[in-house]
């Protein structure tokens, strides 16, 4: 979902019931307590904790300034068949005017895919198999959205009944609650699109049957980095000094190096390179070509400075995604 889900379910214990002793009546032997057959009442409670990390990241004067603001919401679908198809259908039916909002640049619902298209997808425990991916011009556009009516509309229409319906639907398809993550987008490279998908009212009109996955619009490749404390400046400058050939590559859409806007990344990765391609075929053609080899040569942001000192606390971790329900602007992401 483009919107960041900011809620959790709190369960109240049912009220205790029992006969009160009448005044003057003889004492009765208490019957053994029986479990209540009445359903538990649930109460949806909004929380601001999901936004707590926004703006909490600290940078030095030598680090790069963010040129976009990116929001992910990470989901664990119960399975990648029935639950996943229902989850995607839910996104096609949501009420949103995201594409019409000031400061919006790009959105896609990402479905995780294996590195080899013939392999079975294996997702490490606790990692998402779906993410919503939204690019904003800057943090102010995101803040206006999350505090405005458009956010409420996208999260159940602003009514408690719509909100509960959204939550109950999510519990049937997801493991646990969604986990948002916020990033400053560094050195963005964006190609002007030849065409922009129609988005009447600000959202895509895509049909879904809840039994089959919807068709992808783009392909997204990520590489996640755990950069050691004190190495952030060197890591960013290494990427900023690269000579990129992406704009000349067939099927390229957008690139950015994302820096987590948090004191500490909950998944251990404080930087993520993200590249959007028109298709998996375009990504694979780039990876097999000379531009990929030149970009990933020794000393080209590969994780070791010239002196050989390690930059990472653990190896980089790649992830591939199909992007669905894409929204963008005539200027691109």
């Amino acid at each position: 979902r483009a919107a960041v889900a900011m809620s959790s379910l709190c369960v109240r214990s049912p009220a205790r019931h029992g006969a009160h002793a009448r005044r003057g009546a003889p004492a009765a032997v208490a019957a053994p307590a029986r479990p209540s057959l009445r359903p538990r009442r649930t109460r949806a409670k909004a929380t601001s904790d999901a936004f707590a990390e926004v703006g909490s990241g600290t940078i030095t004067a030598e680090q790069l300034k963010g040129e976009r603001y990116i929001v992910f919401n990470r989901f664990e679908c119960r399975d990648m068949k029935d639950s996943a198809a229902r989850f995607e259908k839910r996104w096609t039916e949501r009420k949103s005017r995201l594409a019409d909002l000031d400061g919006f640049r790009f959105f896609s619902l990402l479905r995780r895919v294996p590195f080899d298209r013939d392999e079975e997808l294996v997702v490490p425990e606790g990692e998402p198999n779906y993410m919503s991916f939204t690019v904003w011009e800057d943090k102010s556009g995101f803040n206006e959205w999350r505090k405005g009516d458009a956010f409420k509309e996208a999260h159940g229409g602003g009514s408690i009944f719509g909100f509960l319906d959204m939550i109950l639907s999510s519990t049937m398809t997801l493991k646990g609650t969604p986990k948002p993550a916020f990033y400053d987008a560094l050195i963005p490279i964006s190609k002007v699109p030849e065409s922009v998908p129609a988005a009447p009212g600000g959202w895509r009109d895509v049909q879904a049957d809840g039994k089959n996955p919807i068709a992808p619009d783009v392909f997204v490749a990520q590489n996640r980095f755990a950069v050691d404390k004190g190495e952030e400046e060197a890591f960013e400058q290494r990427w900023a000094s690269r000579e990129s050939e992406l704009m000349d590559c067939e099927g390229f859409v957008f690139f950015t190096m994302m820096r987590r806007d948090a004191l500490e990344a909950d998944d251990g990765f404080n930087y993520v390179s993200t590249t959007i391609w028109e298709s998996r075929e375009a990504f694979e053609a780039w990876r097999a070509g000379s531009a990929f080899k030149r970009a990933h040569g020794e000393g080209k942001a590969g994780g070791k400075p010239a002196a050989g000192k390690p930059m990472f606390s653990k190896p980089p971790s790649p992830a591939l995604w199909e992007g669905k329900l894409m929204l963008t602007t005539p200027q691109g992401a």
Side-chain angles (χ1 to χ4, degrees), residues 87-102:
F87 180 69
E88 292 184 14
K89 183 175 187 292
R90 181 76 181 181
W91 278 83
T92 66
E93 296 171 341
R94 72 199 309 262
K95 295 180 179 179
S96 177
R97 45 191 170 98
L98 184 63
D100 293 340
L101 299 179
D102 291 340

Side-chain angles (χ1 to χ4, degrees), residues 282-293:
F283 164 73
E284 291 176 344
W286 167 76
R287 189 172 61 172
S290 57
F292 174 85
K293 294 179 176 63

Side-chain angles (χ1 to χ4, degrees), residues 1 7 38 44 52 56 66 86 99 117 120 128 135 154 156 163 171 192 206 208-209 242 253 270 277 309 325:
R1 59 182 78 163
S7 58
R38 297 182 63 184
S56 65
R86 292 195 301 270
R117 62 180 75 206
E120 181 179 354
V135 180
F163 184 75
T171 59
V192 175
V206 175
D209 59 12
R242 297 177 73 185
V253 176
N270 49 355
W277 298 90
K309 179 183 176 182
L325 298 174

